[in-house]
Amino acid sequence: MATREELEQRIIEAIDLHRDLILEVAETIRQNPEIAFQEYQASALLAASIQKFGYEVEKPIGGLETAFRASRHGRADGPIVAVLAEYDALPGIGHGCGHNLIAASGLAAAIGLSAVMDEIAGIFEVIGCPAEEAGGGKIVLQQAGVFDDVDAALMVHHAGHQTGVGTRYPEGTCLAVTELTFEYFGKPAHAAADPQNGINALNAVIALFTGIDALRQHVPMETRIHGIITHGGDAPNIVPHYAAARFYVRAATLEDLGRVLEKVRRVAEGAALMTGAEVEIEQGVTCYDVRPSYVIGRRYLERMRQVGMEIRWEHTGRGMYSTDLGNISHRIPVATGSFAISPEPIPGHSQQVVEAAGSPFGQEQLLKVAKAMALTAFDLLTDPELLAQAKAEHAHWPPSG
């Protein structure tokens, strides 16, 4: 019977042995970017690569063509631990968020755990999650029951020049977000000959923007409301009978978001009342705020140091971004390892990220953080106390102290 240290060494050695395959998959996905729900090549390549290491692959899942689940069973029943892989790109930019590296980290973790699963209990899964950038693929999968039996989940994500993981509140948290579409319906008329007979839907949209600008004085500091006019009329000499706008509304927590949304809706209705137009409001996908597991995060950080990662972590508090991972984090303990892909700061969602995600530095960092994630998954599968503490923390959010 192998010792714990021997099993851990097997995980690391397996990833090292197959480094060329891992990096080839990362680079192939980077060079062939596919946007949300269209990641046919990336998901097929990733699923097929993982399957070679003894995993049972179910594809598609959750009603999404580009989603999959790869599972490897241990010698006995036990916890189910999942690594979440993302692989969608940004329109017009490509992999400006480094999701090619996230995809490859799932393969690396699968390779590492394949070397030990026959000697430990439980199930290790890689869940391929489409459409993080737009569409909320994880939310669709959750609603379809894909995460119902999962006990804990892990991810990696690039962090520019930083490496680390959140270990105390509010590190690792981010904003909840929902999309609102406003459509205003008025009455057309000749803008010069008989404007008195028209109802100007564009005026309603402008009043909506003005009202939201005023509202910003009376919402919590971390609230973000930003939008665009998607239709402003057809011609200057016609009173616009139809106008529309799209907004993202973000807040620190799901509860705060609900309160802000109610205020925004009243502004929209007031704009309709002011102008005589009618309004229809459609609410899109809601991404919850992320509730990171600090219990798992602390173990994750230990594993990062163990595999030789230089920890450079700025304690900046809540992130001013949103992700569909938040919805999963409200259901089960989740931790994300953040890793540097550039020695110097680089902007997110940029060409610099595209280039860094294929650089030798970024690739070496990927291999290291994937080892740390695989070892943390091993811990969750084999250390009942760690998983119990993570679940207890999750049940009493936010953590104290």
Side-chain angles (χ1 to χ4, degrees):
M1 188 71 175
T3 66
R4 187 175 187 87
E5 290 74 18
E6 289 171 338
L7 293 174
E8 292 176 7
Q9 189 59 33
R10 276 194 219 165
I11 292 171
I12 293 172
E13 289 175 353
I15 293 174
D16 283 334
L17 180 64
H18 296 282
R19 60 172 285 141
D20 289 346
L21 172 63
I22 296 164
L23 297 182
E24 180 184 351
V25 168
E27 186 62 8
T28 299
I29 294 174
R30 187 180 78 95
Q31 294 284 356
N32 299 276
E34 299 163 298
I35 62 173
F37 298 119
Q38 298 179 31
E39 317 94 327
Y40 297 105
Q41 179 176 331
S43 63
L45 174 63
L46 190 57
S49 299
I50 293 172
Q51 192 172 30
K52 294 176 183 177
F53 293 88
Y55 285 78
E56 300 173 9
V57 175
E58 181 185 357
K59 186 177 186 295
I61 58 171
L64 298 181
E65 288 186 70
T66 55
F68 69 87
R69 173 166 42 208
S71 306
R72 180 77 185 253
H73 292 248
R75 60 176 174 77
D77 290 339
I80 300 176
V81 176
V83 160
L84 309 186
E86 299 173 357
Y87 30 79
D88 62 319
L90 292 160
I93 299 177
H95 280 288
C97 203
H99 289 191
N100 62 307
L101 301 178
I102 300 175
S105 76
L107 170 59
I111 291 171
L113 270 297
S114 72
V116 301
M117 286 306 298
D118 289 342
E119 297 185 40
I120 65 176
I123 300 174
F124 177 71
E125 296 182 344
V126 178
I127 300 177
C129 303
E132 188 276 336
E133 296 292 353
K138 296 183 192 66
I139 300 170
V140 177
L141 296 179
Q142 179 180 338
Q143 291 170 343
V146 170
F147 296 94
D148 284 358
D149 297 325
V150 177
D151 290 288
L154 299 169
M155 270 191 62
V156 304
H157 202 292
H158 94 84
H161 67 295
Q162 295 189 64
T163 293
V165 61
T167 58
R168 64 190 186 201
Y169 185 80
E171 287 182 352
T173 61
C174 69
L175 303 179
V177 65
T178 199
E179 181 180 348
L180 291 177
T181 299
F182 302 94
E183 293 184 290
Y184 286 91
F185 302 89
K187 180 182 176 183
H190 193 291
D194 60 341
Q196 68 277 9
N197 292 322
I199 296 176
N200 195 319
L202 178 58
N203 281 350
V205 167
I206 293 171
L208 169 69
F209 273 79
T210 302
I212 287 175
D213 284 344
L215 178 61
R216 289 192 177 97
Q217 301 176 56
H218 307 289
V219 292
M221 289 293 291
E222 293 172 311
T223 303
R224 300 289 187 272
I225 311 173
H226 41 98
I228 59 171
I229 296 175
T230 56
H231 191 85
D234 300 310
N237 61 342
I238 304 171
V239 173
H241 70 284
Y242 172 77
R246 284 177 59 209
F247 275 84
Y248 283 175
V249 182
R250 305 180 195 254
T253 67
L254 191 62
E255 294 74 20
D256 285 344
L257 180 63
R259 288 187 284 268
V260 174
L261 284 174
E262 183 56 34
K263 294 181 178 182
V264 172
R265 286 178 178 274
R266 288 201 295 267
V267 169
E269 291 163 356
L273 184 63
M274 289 168 59
T275 58
E278 295 181 358
V279 63
E280 292 184 5
I281 306 171
E282 180 180 350
Q283 184 170 335
V285 171
T286 297
C287 294
Y288 298 179
D289 51 299
V290 171
R291 296 179 173 180
S293 171
Y294 299 118
V295 168
I296 299 175
R298 287 188 285 272
R299 182 64 61 88
Y300 211 150
L301 191 63
E302 291 175 14
R303 293 304 197 177
M304 285 181 171
R305 290 194 172 102
Q306 178 184 336
V307 300
M309 302 192 80
E310 179 186 353
I311 306 303
R312 292 191 297 171
W313 188 247
E314 297 173 10
H315 301 286
T316 55
R318 191 181 310 279
M320 296 293 108
Y321 60 89
S322 306
T323 172
D324 58 3
L325 182 64
N327 300 54
I328 310 306
S329 76
H330 278 237
R331 183 176 185 87
I332 58 175
V334 169
T336 299
S338 300
F339 66 106
I341 59 173
S342 168
E344 305 297 331
I346 54 176
H349 286 196
S350 68
Q351 183 61 34
Q352 290 98 313
V353 174
V354 176
E355 294 167 1
S359 68
F361 179 83
Q363 291 176 340
E364 290 301 321
Q365 287 286 99
L366 159 67
L367 293 169
K368 289 180 182 178
V369 77
K371 291 174 186 177
M373 180 171 65
L375 291 170
T376 306
F378 173 75
D379 290 334
L380 289 165
L381 288 164
T382 58
D383 185 345
E385 183 61 25
L386 176 67
L387 185 57
Q389 290 175 2
K391 289 186 174 184
E393 175 191 55
H394 186 267
H396 300 89
W397 186 266
S400 58

